[in-house]
Amino acid sequence: MRPLSSNPRLPHGFSTFVKQKTSKRETSVEKYILEMRDITKTFPGVKALDKVSFAVKQGEIHGLVGENGAGKSTLMKVLNGVLVPDSGTIVVDGVPVTFRNAKQAQACGISLIYQEFNLVNTLSVAENIYLGFLQTGRAKFIDWTRVRADAAHLLENLGFDFNVREKVQNLSVAEKQLVEIAKALSVNARIIAMDEPTSSITKKEIDKLFSIIRRLKERGITIIYISHKLDEVMAICDSVTVLRDGHIIDTKIATETSSAEIISKMVGRPVDMKYPRRPPIIHDEIVLEVRKVSCAGFVKDISFSLKKGEVLGIAGLVGSGRTELVEAIFGARPLQGGDVYIHGRRTSIRNTADGKRYSMGLVTEDRKETGLALHYSLADNIVITNLQKLCSGIFVNKKLMQANVDQYVQELGIKTPSSRQAVMYLSGGNQQKAVLAKWLFSEVEILILDEPTRGIDVGAKYEIYLLMNDLVKKGKSIIMISSELPEVLGMSDRVIVINEGRKKGELCGDAISPEAVMSMAIQ
Amino acid sequence: MSKIKVNKGNPLELMFSQTVLFLLFGFIIFMAIVKPSFLTWWNIHSILIDVSIYGVVACGMTILIISGEFDLSASSQYMWAQVLFISLLNVTKNPPVSIGLTLLSGLILGTINGLVVTKLHINSFITTLGTMTMIRGLCLVFTNGKMVSTDNAFIRAVGSAEFLGMSSFFYIYLVALLILSLILAATNFGRRFYATGGNLEVARLAGINTAFQKTASFSIMGILCSIGGMMLVAQLRAGSTQYGTDLSLTCVAATVIGGTRLSGGAGNCLRTALGMLVIVMLYKALVYLGLQAYYQNLVKGLVLILVVMFDLFMSRRRAMTR
């Protein structure tokens, strides 16, 4: 069997066409059960999928890998009918189909198992499998004996024997996953897509899951296995497709490739000049030191330090504990162990007011939910962090407030008709600047930026980077979390990598490479 | 082959699943010692009559809570049913027509609640707070705030009818309880209430028409309020805007004391019946113990909070042990 060759020089779509021809000529057994051709899906401001062509052979286990935001989930939601693509076709068993909702995809034999399960916790295993459409007997009454027997039979076929009367809320994550698989089988799914199926189960349970997946394969069921965890993908999958920035990069036969090759394809874009240079301005003074900090139950024993004038990048996958870590340092979430030192002095930070008193500011990852009061004016949003500064007596001095607000609007180049404009009407980039402005107004020394450029356009990103450079020049220190690897690489003086709540390593200077960061983040 | 362990539950959890029964038996034993006359047939009978009338409405509240909704307007709907039913009886002198029209009115009012919640996406607390006030206002306009009464022979007959020593009200409740329990437990229509309240998105993705289920739960509530109102009329031969002003909350309390979680997706009418029995017995006991009726609300509220506290404590414990 030849790999599904893909030649990056050929245009997308064309390569699929060629693939199909050659494979058909070689062997008639090899048959595509699913082809997605030239799928494009645009969200406001982002092209999530750009002419993606993706083909899966009957009965194979097909891995789909890529960084956060590469488009894996979007592609699967298109397949599953939850999202309707802007253009492109889906072909199942040689027949073009269009799905408007998950039910239609299901009728075509396609089931998607989400990372967060689609189960009703208060109901029994058996009822969840046939949710809402239980087998009825006489006079439209549910034939519970039959329902339970059918459910038990499905699970037995997966090699499990458990009480189908048990409520789903009493099951472990791995057991819930089984129920999801049984649910997919109950509607005769021929293609089951699993989104990060091992994200919250133990090693032993993973082995069990793999044996089930292989069993499904024996029964001729096709599996699309979406994961960040390359070692697992390499262990279970027959072929692997790499998705990056909404494009298919390559499809490889698992035995003919290596983790290293896949990683290089995942991160493969060159780190270009999207990031403004800055001369090294790091002072020797350590402003923040974190010693063996634990929080949120799974972030354990993380230590690092931050120097004056430094940009420290925190890399890691979404859900690795990055956000929880900085929230705990800032006081937005309880510390469960460890100490935080500011300027060499041990602190006890119990809430965000404490964090602010120690001159820290946190720009949260979701500016609309936790960064801004959307209905309030730009001015109100900026001054909220430090009203004290504007007070004469017990009243806010409006003139002083206006002068300050004008200063920051100008300094940061926030484009707005007036500082009285409600921030909800500003563009994403300007909103992000408003969040930054509020912490600058509060004159913090340590600025923690969680995904500072998420969902804003390239121009605005560049302005944010310039601003960051400007701040460190003024002697402030920055911690930056980002899911965009090039951004971490392009902006940080030093990078620490978090993986499953643990610090996996620290990279500095020339040692910071996409491959190094990525392999620490996913292995 | 591997076997997945089934959560057997510890004795404490087992006890909690029957809190309401413990409460009930404990209470009966306490009263038997302190005030044996509490347990005379006459008193038990009068307790059961009250449980029957309120219980019918409480069934509706249970279905709503299972579906993840809530109805504050139940008390007003119940009032309106009394007023309307008496007026219809007095005007038409025709009980079947009056009953039919009162039921229809309940169906319409309930469905309006449901449609406002599901189609206009106004949360059920606000919606039913609004309709509660409006329907109450309607009753006041209709009656000028005065008590209305009827002397219809049929109604008098139903009110005083007994079978095997039990009042007719008890049988009406029993039939309602049976039918609703059967629907909830053994039909897809009934099970979809659980799916809808348990996880709206999952239910929707499974192809369940969740808006229909929610609207239906409000409609059922409307009908049950009408039945409850008519039962009260049969008992008192009168109706007033003063009867049952806190019925909505009593029904929620009965549902919760019975062990149904307010978060939806679980529970059944039988549990609520036991919860209602506890509440009504408490009321009567306070009177028997010589306390003013004014203490009723005080005690009812206290019991409610204690039961919910216990529920919360248990679910936290469960979450911790997992």
Side-chain angles (χ1 to χ4, degrees), chain B residues 4-21:
Chain B
I4 287 185
K5 266 180 267 138
V6 174
N7 191 343
K8 288 259 165 41
N10 58 36
L12 209 67
E13 260 172 70
L14 216 67
M15 191 193 99
F16 174 63
S17 63
Q18 272 112 34
T19 308
V20 65
L21 282 180

Side-chain angles (χ1 to χ4, degrees), chain A residues 122 127 132 134 142 160 166 175, chain B residues 2 4 6 186 188 191-192 265:
Chain A
T122 49
E127 185 163 3
L134 305 159
I142 293 166
F160 286 83
E166 187 66 43
E175 290 162 350
Chain B
S2 68
I4 287 185
V6 174
N188 271 313
R191 296 316 294 175
R192 286 175 193 157

Side-chain angles (χ1 to χ4, degrees), chain B residues 239-258:
Chain B
S240 154
T241 50
Q242 300 304 313
Y243 295 159
T245 43
D246 66 345
L247 180 68
S248 306
L249 295 176
T250 306
C251 288
V252 175
T255 308
V256 172
I257 291 172

